[in-house]
């Protein structure tokens, strides 16, 4: 039997209100599908994680596809809203830091949400594929817009340069989330601080320029650290 998710270990569901049990099922399903993907995820294992019977899943959600779609919508909307909120402010290097910080905060204790949106085991067509594509396109669009606005001030940048940088940005976000999965003890604050320090080291001149345009709390929510990074 698969281990139960931390949120549901030792929790009985008898007498639990329907809405609370529904949240319990969704938490278990998100972990199951996030770990194994749609194709390998099992409703029987979801039931075991949630401490309920398998028929109850179908009573609540009707089908595996409907259960997955509900999890996907919750994960995708949370990520899109978080990234959209980070787009306000200067379109300099601090925008990249704000965006990745927003991703970290949205995924804290829910890293499986990223896997739901970018699940490679989804069918090649159909409602699940189409729903995931909506969230992927929204996230990609904001990333592309951020890169374009960041680069537009340089007359030396060619169109294909921007396309390459956009793909590098997508890879950076994916790699950061993948690294976090191997270091789950790290908090969102620690991940954000680490990324900010790395940016300051790799792009000191650009980071110094962006530092001059933002207020004390634009990125970190704290007073500036005179050492050039945030404490972990």
């Amino acid at each position: 039997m698969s281990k139960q998710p931390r949120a549901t270990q030792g929790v009985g569901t008898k007498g639990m209100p329907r809405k609370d049990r529904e949240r319990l099922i969704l938490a278990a399903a998100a972990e199951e599908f996030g770990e194994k993907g749609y194709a390998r995820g099992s409703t029987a294992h979801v039931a075991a994680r949630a401490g309920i019977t398998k028929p109850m899943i179908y009573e609540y959600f009707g089908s595996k596809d409907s259960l997955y779609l509900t999890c996907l919508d919750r994960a995708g909307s949370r990520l899109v809203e978080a990234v959209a909120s980070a787009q306000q402010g200067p379109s300099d290097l601090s925008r990249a830091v704000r965006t990745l910080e927003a991703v970290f905060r949205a995924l804290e204790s829910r890293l499986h949400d990223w896997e739901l949106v970018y699940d490679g085991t989804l069918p090649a067509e159909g409602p699940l594929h189409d729903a995931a594509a909506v969230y992927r396109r929204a996230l990609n669009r904001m990333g592309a817009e951020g890169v374009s606005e960041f680069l537009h001030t340089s007359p030396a940048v060619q169109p294909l340069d921007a396309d390459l940088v956009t793909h590098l940005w997508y890879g950076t976000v994916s790699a950061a989330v993948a690294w976090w999965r191997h270091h789950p003890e790290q908090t969102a604050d620690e991940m954000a601080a680490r990324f900010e320090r790395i940016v300051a080291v790799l792009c000191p001149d650009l980071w110094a320029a962006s530092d001059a345009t933002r207020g004390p709390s634009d990125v970190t929510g704290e007073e500036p650290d005179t050492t050039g990074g945030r404490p972990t």
Side-chain angles (χ1 to χ4, degrees):
M1 179 183 296
S2 297
K3 67 177 182 179
Q4 295 178 0
R6 290 185 298 273
T8 62
Q9 287 178 347
V11 177
T13 68
K14 185 176 181 179
M16 180 179 291
R18 182 179 180 89
K19 283 294 184 182
D20 291 343
R21 187 180 289 112
E22 182 176 298
R23 284 192 289 269
L24 189 68
I25 295 171
L26 288 172
E31 289 197 1
E32 172 73 10
F33 293 130
E35 291 173 7
K36 301 177 183 177
Y38 166 81
R40 294 181 294 275
S42 162
T43 54
H45 289 168
V46 171
R49 287 172 181 264
I52 61 171
T53 63
K54 182 177 175 180
M56 189 173 289
I57 291 179
Y58 294 96
E59 176 188 340
Y60 274 62
F61 295 96
S63 66
K64 175 182 176 180
D65 282 13
S66 179
L67 175 61
Y68 188 99
L69 184 59
T70 303
C71 292
L72 173 61
D73 284 339
R74 285 158 57 94
S77 59
R78 184 182 291 111
L79 274 168
V80 169
E81 289 171 7
V83 172
S85 70
Q87 303 312 296
Q88 305 302 315
S91 293
D92 53 23
L93 203 55
S94 67
R95 180 168 177 167
V97 175
R98 292 196 309 272
T99 298
L100 202 44
E101 180 178 18
V103 170
F104 292 147
R105 295 195 187 286
L107 293 177
E108 189 161 33
S109 301
R110 300 190 58 86
L111 271 170
H112 46 262
D113 278 0
W114 185 265
E115 305 304 326
L116 291 170
V117 174
Y118 291 98
D119 187 351
T121 75
L122 289 177
E125 57 183 20
L128 295 180
H129 171 274
D130 293 345
V134 168
Y135 296 116
R136 293 174 189 176
R137 282 195 296 267
L139 293 168
N140 289 348
R141 174 183 55 78
M142 287 186 283
E145 289 174 354
V147 169
S148 177
E149 292 177 12
F150 175 68
L151 294 178
H152 87 283
T153 56
S154 173
V157 174
Q158 300 177 7
L160 282 180
D161 294 343
D163 185 64
L164 174 57
V165 174
T166 299
H167 280 77
L168 291 173
W169 169 246
Y170 296 159
T172 296
V173 178
S174 296
V177 173
W179 187 89
W180 198 6
R181 285 199 300 271
H182 293 291
H183 300 273
E185 77 284 355
Q186 296 291 296
T187 66
D189 283 344
E190 289 170 331
M191 290 295 295
R194 181 162 290 105
F195 182 67
E196 185 175 332
R197 286 196 301 273
I198 291 170
V199 168
V201 170
L202 295 180
C203 310
D205 293 339
L206 289 174
W207 185 242
S210 68
D211 189 52
T213 66
R214 68 182 190 272
S217 61
D218 283 355
V219 177
T220 66
E222 302 174 357
E223 290 299 315
D225 179 5
T226 56
T227 64
R230 278 172 49 184
T232 57

